[in-house]
Amino acid sequence: MVNKKFSRRNILKSTSLIAAAGIISACDGSGTPDKPGKSASISKKIYNWKMVTTWPKNFPGLGTGAQRLVDSIKNMSEGRLNIKLFAGGELVPPFESFDAVRENKAQMFHGSPYYWINKNKSTPFFGAVPGGVTTQEHNAWINYAGGQALWDKLYSQFGLKSFMAGNSGTQMGGWFLKEIKSVEDFKGLKMRIPGLAAEVLNRMGGTAVALPGGEIMPSLQSGAIDATEWIGPWNDLAFGFYKITKFYYGPGFHEPSSVLECGINLESYNQLENDLKNIVQIACEAENSRMLSEFTAANIDAQQKLVNMHGVKINNFPKDVFKLMMKLSSDVVAETADEGKINKEIYESWSTFKKNARLRSPYAEQGYVNLST
């Protein structure tokens, strides 16, 4: 009898331990009582966010890259961070994306930092400045030479956090209704061009016009503008600028690198668990690399189509014109340091890095290309 009681007691005790182990297993993510081995991450908080963009819906490279970014975040987070994308104008006008996220009407935006120059004169340093650095150098400055810390410091004043999340590489100089033969051809020229480059154009005697992508084509068709820069052959082919003019110039002085950003409402970002923060950052880094590769490949193919199928004439700017562009760019960029303490910090960090990068470049990619062609 004693042995039976003892045996029964042990069985009951063992059963209790097994049940407890099942509960612990479910809590630590290794399984659930009803579905052993299935991740229990579904018991964690689900975040449903909105992303607004400055791009037309499904636009090649830009719109599709933004969609790819939010899809990656959803997949890597196993559905814990779901982001619905709204193209420019669907939820808010393109150039109101910054304020929409600042005010938490949406939690993310995808655009370019130089669109927000009216917020602070130094935002373009994190996207593109005229006479700036190459894409590889730009990435290096932000990731390894203090750029991200300065970006965080600047954007925190607006309640935002931002990561690089795409790059279209060195951009073309633009499409012109008339051939550019000298500096005089810029006198009175109305051109769509953003950021600090707009001031360079103004000093050349032209008039800079700020337009989101979706408004460029009708403005060029109507004669509201005489010229426009956009991105490069791939996107320019998609917009059909070649239907209006055959005068295409490059490279541009204004965007030797063109970083696209994923801006995030800082309060919303800080509420995320650490693993979700890491997922957002990793997804942005991946898209930053992937988009550049996509643009590089697509631009090569699109350039051939523009020339061979549509009769586009691609030229460099005359040397004296480009030289003036670079001189004025240097002046305009340096003047941002006078705007305030943070502006001076950003300019000094960036300009020091650029100076050192130029000492390196003759022995790196630039030197290789020059010697091999």
Side-chain angles (χ1 to χ4, degrees):
M1 181 67 69
V2 173
N3 289 338
K4 288 182 180 179
K5 288 182 179 180
F6 181 76
S7 178
R8 188 181 301 116
R9 190 181 299 117
N10 283 348
I11 291 171
L12 291 172
K13 186 176 180 180
S14 297
T15 303
S16 297
L17 289 172
I18 291 169
I23 294 171
I24 292 171
S25 175
C27 292
D28 71 5
S30 60
T32 60
D34 58 328
K35 296 180 180 179
K38 182 178 179 181
S39 172
S41 62
I42 56 172
S43 65
K44 296 181 180 180
K45 184 174 180 179
I46 304 297
Y47 297 86
N48 293 303
W49 283 10
K50 299 173 184 175
M51 171 186 274
V52 291
T53 78
T54 58
W55 322 121
K57 190 173 183 64
N58 295 322
F59 196 72
L62 306 177
T64 56
Q67 185 64 59
R68 193 163 53 208
L69 173 62
V70 299
D71 289 344
S72 294
I73 292 172
K74 179 179 180 179
N75 291 336
M76 287 195 288
S77 68
E78 296 183 327
R80 289 167 54 208
L81 181 50
N82 299 306
I83 306 164
K84 184 176 181 180
L85 186 145
F86 295 86
E90 286 188 332
L91 189 63
V92 297
F95 288 166
E96 291 182 18
S97 298
F98 186 97
D99 284 334
V101 175
R102 183 182 180 185
E103 296 165 6
N104 210 28
K105 294 176 182 177
Q107 290 69 46
M108 282 182 165
F109 68 80
H110 196 266
S112 177
Y114 57 61
Y115 286 155
W116 325 126
I117 192 171
N118 63 321
K119 304 297 182 182
N120 188 289
K121 267 288 186 70
S122 294
T123 60
F125 281 91
F126 307 101
V129 294
V133 292
T134 66
T135 297
Q136 188 163 308
E137 292 166 347
H138 204 167
N139 286 344
W141 175 61
I142 291 179
N143 284 327
Y144 292 103
Q148 184 68 57
L150 289 168
W151 200 357
D152 291 344
K153 186 174 182 179
L154 177 62
Y155 269 37
S156 66
Q157 298 177 8
F158 302 98
L160 297 172
K161 166 78 174 177
S162 207
F163 294 110
M164 293 187 292
N167 199 309
S168 56
T170 301
Q171 295 202 358
M172 292 292 284
W175 298 81
F176 295 78
L177 295 180
K178 296 181 179 179
E179 187 176 2
I180 300 298
K181 297 179 180 179
S182 70
V183 174
E184 291 300 312
D185 291 315
F186 282 87
K187 306 296 183 183
L189 184 83
K190 298 187 297 294
M191 182 176 183
R192 184 272 179 191
I193 192 167
L196 293 171
E199 179 57 26
V200 174
L201 181 75
N202 291 340
R203 294 186 188 189
M204 293 181 70
T207 300
V209 180
L211 292 172
E215 297 179 21
I216 298 175
M217 187 64 167
S219 297
L220 196 62
Q221 285 176 314
S222 68
I225 56 176
D226 306 305
T228 183
E229 64 76 41
W230 179 227
I231 297 176
W234 185 28
N235 286 159
D236 293 1
L237 176 65
F239 262 160
F241 295 135
Y242 64 86
K243 299 175 183 177
I244 302 174
T245 179
K246 305 298 183 182
F247 298 115
Y248 195 25
Y249 288 84
F253 73 96
H254 59 301
E255 295 183 47
S257 169
S258 187
V259 170
L260 306 175
E261 66 180 330
C262 174
I264 312 167
N265 179 278
L266 185 57
E267 183 177 353
S268 296
Y269 177 77
N270 287 336
Q271 290 173 356
L272 295 176
E273 289 82 1
N274 287 335
D275 65 321
L276 291 182
K277 290 179 183 177
N278 290 335
I279 285 171
V280 170
Q281 183 174 354
I282 291 169
C284 287
E285 290 176 354
E287 186 55 41
N288 193 53
S289 175
R290 183 170 181 178
M291 189 185 292
L292 178 63
S293 298
E294 185 177 29
F295 265 100
T296 301
N299 279 334
I300 292 171
D301 180 61
Q303 180 172 308
Q304 296 304 311
K305 290 179 179 177
L306 286 170
V307 173
N308 298 326
M309 296 173 60
H310 302 295
V312 172
K313 300 175 182 178
I314 303 181
N315 293 305
N316 297 129
F317 288 111
K319 289 184 178 179
D320 61 328
V321 172
F322 199 79
K323 186 175 181 180
L324 177 61
M325 289 172 169
M326 295 301 286
K327 181 188 181 304
L328 292 175
S329 295
S330 180
D331 294 341
V332 168
V333 171
E335 288 168 12
T336 63
D338 299 328
E339 296 289 319
K341 183 179 178 181
I342 181 64
N343 307 83
K344 185 177 181 180
E345 286 183 61
I346 292 170
Y347 174 73
E348 289 182 347
S349 172
W350 176 88
S351 60
T352 298
F353 182 85
K354 180 188 174 184
K355 179 181 177 181
N356 292 334
R358 288 297 165 270
L359 296 175
R360 166 67 185 149
S361 57
Y363 310 101
E365 288 80 8
Q366 178 188 342
Y368 173 79
V369 171
N370 289 343
L371 291 171
S372 63
T373 55

